[in-house]
Every structure is written in C-alpha cells, then in structure tokens.
Amino acid sequence: MALSRAQNDMESLQQEISSREEIIERARALQPLLRTHAQRGEAERAVPAEVVDALTEAGIFRMLTPKRFGGYETDLRTLTEVSEALGEADGATAWTAMIVTVTNWLASLFPDEAQEEVFGADPDARVTGVAAPTGMGRRVPGGWMVTGKWSYNSGAPYATWAAVGALLQDENGAVVDQALVLIPASELLLEDTWYTAGMRGTASNTLIGRDIMVPDHRVLSVPAAAQGTYPRSNREEEFLYTLPFGSMLLLCLTGPLLGLGKAALDMVTASAEDKPLSFTVHGRQADSVGVQIQLAEAALSLRTARLHVLDAVNQIDRGDMDYGQRTQVRAQAGYAAQQVLNAINTLLNVHGASSFAEANPLQRIWRDANVAARHAGLVPTVGYEAYGKMLLAINEPVSLMV
C-alpha cells in the first residue's frame, strides 16, 4: 500500500514537471514573434494584438487560473520561468503576461461567485490591477459604490476585468477597511498616461471609475489577505490559492528582469567575439582580460539573482510561511532586482556607447529593466528594512505587502 502511494506521488510529480516544461517550451517558442514585434510594441506603447493572441493561444494567461475553469493551476515557479523566457525576447510582453497571469491568481482568491463571473464564461479572462488604494468605496445596500483613479495598470487595453485598490467607508464616512475590488473593464475609463523611458509596451495606463456599484462578493480585504485569510471556499485540492498574498504578488515581478538580464548577457558575449576594443591593442573584446573579468562578474550577478529568486519562489510554492520567512522573501526580491541592474550596467560598459543606438536592443533592455526594477514591490530598502527588523525582533510592520 505504501509503495503504491509513493508511486502515485511520483507519477503526480512527473506530470506536474512535464506540464511546467511544456508551458515553458511554449513560451520559448514565442520568442521569435516577440522579438519581431518588440520595437513596434514600444512605438505603439502597447503589446501588439497578435502577440496577445499568441500568448492566449499558448495558454500563458491560464497558468494560475483554477483547473475547474479550464486553467492549468501551476505554481509560481512556472510563472517565473515562463516570464523569464518571454523576457529574453521582450521585457514589455513578459511584464504584461506576468501581470495578467498573477492577477488572475488574485481574482481566484475572491468569493466563488466572483470567480464564476470572471472565469466561468471566459477561461481566457485577463484580469489586470492596481493594488494602491487610490479609490474610495462608500457603503450602500448589497455592496460598495466605488470611485477612483488608478495608475499604472499594465496590460490595460486587453483587460476583461480589473482588481483595483480602495479604502472602504461605512455609512458615517469612517474608513473601515482597505480592499481590492473587482470591476469589469468595460465599466472603467482608460486614460492614456503611460509615457515613460522604459517598459513602454506594457500600456500601463490609468483607470478611472465613478460611482461604480461593486457587490460584496467582489471585495477582498487586503489586511485579511495579508494574514492569509481569503474569502474563497476552501478546496483541499486547490493548494495554489492558499499561498501567501504579498509574497506571490511581489516575487512574480522578478521573472521578466531575469529574462532581460540573460538577453543582455547573451548579446554582449556574442558581440565580444568580433567587436574590437577601440583604442587598445585588442582586435576583439574577447581577447581583453578586462572584458573577460567584467563578463564573469555580470554572469555571476545574474546567477546570484536567479538563485535568490528561485530559492524564494520554491519556498513560496511550498506554502505555510511565517512572517519572518515572508520578510526574507521580500528582501530577496529587491536584492535580486538590484543584482540584475548591476549586471546589465556592467554589460553595457563592456559593449560601449553603441549599446545606446536606437537600432540596438541593448538600450531597450537597459531602459526596460531600470523601469521594471523601480516597481514599488521591488524597492530594495523596504524589503531590507522589513527583514532587518525581523532579524532584530523589532515588531514594527513596514508594509502589508510582505
């Protein structure tokens, strides 16, 4: 009996690994398409529709959607490696795909009635969101009347639903909770505000809503979620939706950065085989000890970043993390992002001024990485402070997103 159970467990693990490898291979197969359209996406400030269609057809957006709605219900490790693979070809596409996928996971934490509304009729639903509570909800019978303005909503043009942050007021106007509320994208206005130096293709524009009725079942308390309390029905087989809120929503941000770093390393290393090192005796950069050392340093920084990310991701996927472990994960996310930026800067130092030619993809990688790494969830000092306080047993929470 025990042997049979062990065999079943091994078969289940093998099926899971096979599924992960399959979806990662699908992502890699999209790389030529993404590279072809990367410049156009930047110029139009939105991922081209045919790329979004290809992502949909490959099942990328279904990675963290419940199986009962036709999703794959994989894990954070899969999302990380998929967005890393996409990031090797185009950072903006990787970021958009990651945001939609993880926000689909977020929507799966809401009550079952809300999940049914989002995914029941559309397994390929695309939920985007802004967690910052820049909206206000006023208590009305059956729910909340929500008004707000939310920036920056990556993937906005292709969203079918949006999860946006709001402070909730009771009948007397007192704030009683901070929440995320689910709103059909069709009920929100889209303001074209995303004019940036990098990640232009993410179309991270601003959502505007005025007096939108949000029923109670489409409300998720952020303080409760931060403590691991979700209003969905408990289903023992759906372990993915018990994972820690803040950790899931922050670590996912690192995948596209890992891909951007790998792309830069590959480009600069390949170029060094033939590119001369001007004003030196070296006919090729590859012959320079200085270049060799810098490439090694960059590669090790990227490896450090990836090891930290995967260590944290694997811990999250195992679940049951205490507060101290969550602060470490938050710190690792910011630290990894900085390691990627350091590596890319070193690589552009090696490649030289030609890195910044408009025709050179390295300048877009540099810009995209520097914008992505400034996401509020990756600010390193916040994670370091939370982790440092924990190490010193100082009980002063820094953020709900831990």
Side-chain angles (χ1 to χ4, degrees):
M1 180 72 71
L3 180 59
S4 176
R5 184 179 298 112
Q7 288 173 334
N8 288 337
D9 290 344
M10 181 59 71
E11 289 175 3
S12 175
L13 179 61
Q14 289 172 342
Q15 289 173 357
E16 177 187 344
I17 292 173
S18 174
S19 174
R20 175 186 297 143
E21 290 175 346
E22 180 183 350
I23 194 75
I24 293 169
E25 282 306 312
R26 291 186 200 175
R28 290 196 180 108
L30 293 174
Q31 288 177 345
L33 177 71
L34 269 56
R35 290 190 179 101
T36 297
H37 290 287
Q39 183 57 42
R40 177 183 154 203
E42 176 164 84
E44 296 178 357
R45 296 182 301 109
V47 175
E50 49 263 62
V51 172
V52 174
D53 290 343
L55 293 169
T56 303
E57 185 177 346
I60 302 299
F61 299 127
R62 293 193 186 201
M63 276 189 289
L64 301 186
T65 300
K67 288 181 179 177
R68 56 195 162 88
F69 293 119
Y72 297 135
E73 202 174 312
T74 58
D75 53 22
L76 183 56
R77 175 69 180 260
T78 305
L79 172 59
T80 300
E81 294 196 48
V82 165
S83 55
E84 178 183 21
L86 297 175
E88 290 179 39
D90 180 32
T93 297
W95 188 270
T96 302
M98 173 272 296
I99 287 291
V100 170
T101 302
V102 81
T103 316
N104 283 356
W105 173 84
L106 174 64
S108 302
L109 307 182
F110 281 74
D112 294 9
E113 186 177 353
Q115 296 177 50
E116 185 65 41
E117 286 179 315
V118 174
F119 300 112
D122 183 10
D124 289 313
R126 293 186 289 265
V127 188
T128 61
V130 179
T134 52
M136 191 68 72
R138 186 180 75 256
R139 190 61 168 155
V140 295
W144 305 86
M145 194 64 69
V146 176
T147 294
K149 190 171 184 177
W150 297 276
S151 303
Y152 297 103
N153 188 50
S154 299
Y158 300 109
T160 54
W161 287 79
V164 292
L167 299 176
L168 303 183
Q169 297 175 312
D170 63 16
E171 293 84 351
N172 299 316
V175 174
V176 293
D177 202 358
Q178 177 183 335
L180 283 162
V181 299
L182 273 173
I183 299 174
S186 59
E187 296 182 17
L188 295 164
L189 297 176
L190 190 60
E191 184 178 358
D192 186 8
T193 56
W194 189 244
Y195 292 86
T196 57
M199 282 290 177
R200 293 173 181 169
T202 62
S204 302
N205 289 303
T206 299
L207 298 175
I208 300 174
R210 182 173 296 279
D211 292 333
I212 296 174
M213 174 61 188
V214 178
D216 285 323
H217 68 268
R218 286 203 249 124
V219 175
L220 176 77
S221 169
V222 172
Q227 297 303 314
T229 300
Y230 307 141
R232 73 189 316 273
S233 295
N234 291 323
R235 292 180 171 83
E236 186 176 347
E237 72 278 8
E238 292 186 339
F239 176 74
L240 176 62
Y241 309 105
T242 67
L243 299 182
F245 181 75
S247 300
M248 280 287 291
L249 296 180
L250 296 181
L251 258 294
C252 63
L253 304 172
T254 59
L257 280 164
L258 294 179
L260 287 165
K262 186 177 185 304
L265 178 63
D266 290 346
M267 288 180 196
V268 174
T269 302
S271 174
E273 294 290 339
D274 301 306
K275 192 175 188 292
L277 189 59
S278 299
F279 306 124
T280 74
V281 299
H282 299 301
R284 307 182 313 153
Q285 287 185 330
D287 296 327
S288 165
V289 173
V291 167
Q292 295 160 10
I293 290 172
Q294 289 181 90
L295 287 178
E297 289 176 338
L300 289 172
S301 291
L302 292 174
R303 182 169 175 77
T304 296
R306 195 168 196 272
L307 288 171
H308 270 288
V309 168
L310 294 185
D311 174 70
V313 162
N314 290 339
Q315 187 167 340
I316 294 167
D317 280 336
R318 289 193 294 268
D320 194 25
M321 296 169 61
D322 61 26
Y323 179 74
Q325 291 169 315
R326 298 200 308 271
T327 63
Q328 177 181 318
V329 160
R330 172 77 192 251
Q332 285 179 290
Y335 182 77
Q338 293 304 303
Q339 291 297 308
V340 173
L341 291 188
N342 291 341
I344 291 175
N345 283 338
T346 298
L347 291 166
L348 267 66
N349 286 342
V350 169
H351 196 73
S354 62
S355 303
F356 298 94
E358 290 188 357
N360 193 330
L362 282 171
Q363 51 80 25
R364 186 173 64 249
I365 289 172
W366 179 74
R367 289 184 289 105
D368 284 352
N370 274 276
V371 170
R374 266 73 180 188
H375 187 284
L378 294 176
V379 174
T381 51
V382 174
Y384 300 164
E385 181 182 356
Y387 187 38
K389 280 182 172 9
M390 187 279 300
L391 292 173
L392 293 168
I394 298 174
N395 187 23
E396 294 178 2
V398 177
S399 169
L400 288 174
M401 299 298 285
V402 171

